[in-house]
Amino acid sequence: MEQIIYISTSRAPVRPTDEELQHILSVSRRNNARDGLSGLLVVGGRRFLQVLEGPSEALNRAFNRIRGDERHFAVVELTRRAIEQRSFPEWDMGFEVQGKHLTEVVGKLIADVEDPLLRAQVDGFAKIHSKAA
Ligand SMILES: Cc1cc2nc3c(=O)[nH]c(=O)nc-3n(C[C@H](O)[C@H](O)[C@H](O)COP(=O)(O)O)c2cc1C
């Protein structure tokens, strides 16, 4: 298995109630469940941070689709590594949006993540994009 973490920028402002965002999530959950992928999507302002993990072939197919998606740009792969265990086995695609408690919520989401680098990346992103900062 492999795990990819990337950041990107949305073309349009993102709100949790947006139809577009809900659509991205429902399609992601359907595809990821089908393809054995799991992960976490964090939305802060116009920025996305996504952790995506699973079998390499399915992961690469999904990431190629995501990369080519015109709803966001400046997709930067932060890390790509082989993993023995998933960091987010519970979610076909977990999800969190910027708000007062983003750091708190994300803190809970990554409570069981052992990898310190992954923790720091997700946590740092949440801190930068938390409205309470
Ligand atoms: C920020 C962002 C994250 C996305 N994450 C996923 C994902 O985890 N899995 C997925 O299949 N598609 C994801 N998508 C959607 C893909 O870019 C693409 O639209 C979708 O996979 C096409 O699915 P379809 O061929 O079943 O219509 C994401 C899109 C954006 C903008």
Side-chain angles (χ1 to χ4, degrees), residues 3-17:
Q3 181 187 69
I4 291 173
I5 307 174
Y6 75 85
I7 51 169
S8 68
T9 304
S10 174
R11 291 222 182 262
V14 196
R15 288 173 206 286
T17 50

Side-chain angles (χ1 to χ4, degrees), residues 6 8 21 23-25 27-32 34-35 37-38 41 48-52 61-72 92-93:
Y6 75 85
S8 68
L21 186 57
H23 186 60
I24 288 174
L25 274 171
V27 169
S28 299
R29 286 177 173 146
R30 185 197 65 208
N31 287 348
N32 295 356
R34 177 196 65 200
D35 300 336
L37 300 176
S38 57
L41 180 66
F48 294 115
L49 180 147
Q50 190 172 27
V51 183
L52 200 57
R61 268 201 309 271
F63 192 48
N64 283 337
R65 287 199 307 271
I66 294 169
R67 275 213 138 117
D69 194 320
E70 298 202 340
R71 289 170 291 193
H72 65 171
D92 34 27
M93 186 44 62

Side-chain angles (χ1 to χ4, degrees), residues 5-131:
I5 307 174
Y6 75 85
I7 51 169
S8 68
T9 304
S10 174
R11 291 222 182 262
V14 196
R15 288 173 206 286
T17 50
D18 278 354
E19 244 176 65
E20 192 67 64
L21 186 57
Q22 295 306 324
H23 186 60
I24 288 174
L25 274 171
S26 66
V27 169
S28 299
R29 286 177 173 146
R30 185 197 65 208
N31 287 348
N32 295 356
R34 177 196 65 200
D35 300 336
L37 300 176
S38 57
L40 172 66
L41 180 66
V42 184
V43 185
R46 286 200 184 201
R47 293 295 185 124
F48 294 115
L49 180 147
Q50 190 172 27
V51 183
L52 200 57
E53 59 192 13
S56 303
E57 215 183 296
L59 182 67
N60 285 323
R61 268 201 309 271
F63 192 48
N64 283 337
R65 287 199 307 271
I66 294 169
R67 275 213 138 117
D69 194 320
E70 298 202 340
R71 289 170 291 193
H72 65 171
F73 63 101
V75 177
V76 177
E77 194 177 300
L78 297 178
T79 60
R80 175 193 286 264
R81 58 190 192 118
I83 51 165
E84 298 283 321
Q85 276 188 329
R86 291 174 193 262
S87 297
F88 302 99
E90 307 283 315
W91 289 296
D92 34 27
M93 186 44 62
F95 169 64
E96 200 52 56
V97 177
Q98 175 188 40
K100 263 195 182 157
H101 304 298
L102 187 69
T103 43
E104 195 185 315
V105 175
V106 168
K108 282 185 191 146
L109 292 178
I110 59 171
D112 295 332
V113 173
E114 281 174 22
D115 179 357
L117 180 63
L118 175 58
R119 291 181 63 89
Q121 275 165 342
V122 177
D123 197 44
F125 180 89
K127 283 203 177 103
I128 289 166
H129 293 290
S130 172
K131 278 179 181 160

